[in-house]
Amino acid sequence: MREETIRITTEYIKLQDLLKFSGAAETGGEAKEAIQAGEVRVNGEVCTMRGKKLRPGDRADWNGTRLVVA
């Protein structure tokens, strides 16, 4: 699994936006489908909420990539 650190300058980033911004998902639609299908884990637990707010220290796993919010 490859790990990538995503630095944000705001208080939080929504899960769907994180996948799109990081390049893990090519489009918002791809991110939406993956999240709703239960393919994405946030901090080790399956998350189906596209608008889940991720703050520094949180991590999301999908498709062999771990995204760490910093």
Side-chain angles (χ1 to χ4, degrees):
M1 176 175 287
R2 88 183 165 105
E3 187 170 302
E4 187 176 332
T5 300
I6 305 299
R7 300 204 182 282
I8 60 173
T9 58
T10 57
E11 180 183 347
Y12 64 86
I13 186 169
K14 292 181 181 178
L15 179 56
Q16 179 175 338
D17 297 335
L18 175 69
L19 294 180
K20 195 168 68 170
F21 176 73
S22 69
E26 290 186 22
T27 65
E30 181 182 16
K32 174 184 173 181
E33 288 179 16
I35 294 166
Q36 289 181 334
E39 299 172 6
V40 180
R41 292 182 165 271
V42 173
N43 298 327
E45 296 183 15
V46 172
C47 182
T48 57
M49 297 182 300
R50 292 183 349 218
K52 172 78 174 165
K53 295 177 181 177
L54 302 179
R55 292 177 167 79
D58 288 336
R59 59 184 166 76
D61 300 323
W62 178 60
N63 204 20
T65 303
R66 172 168 286 161
L67 302 170
V68 180
V69 180

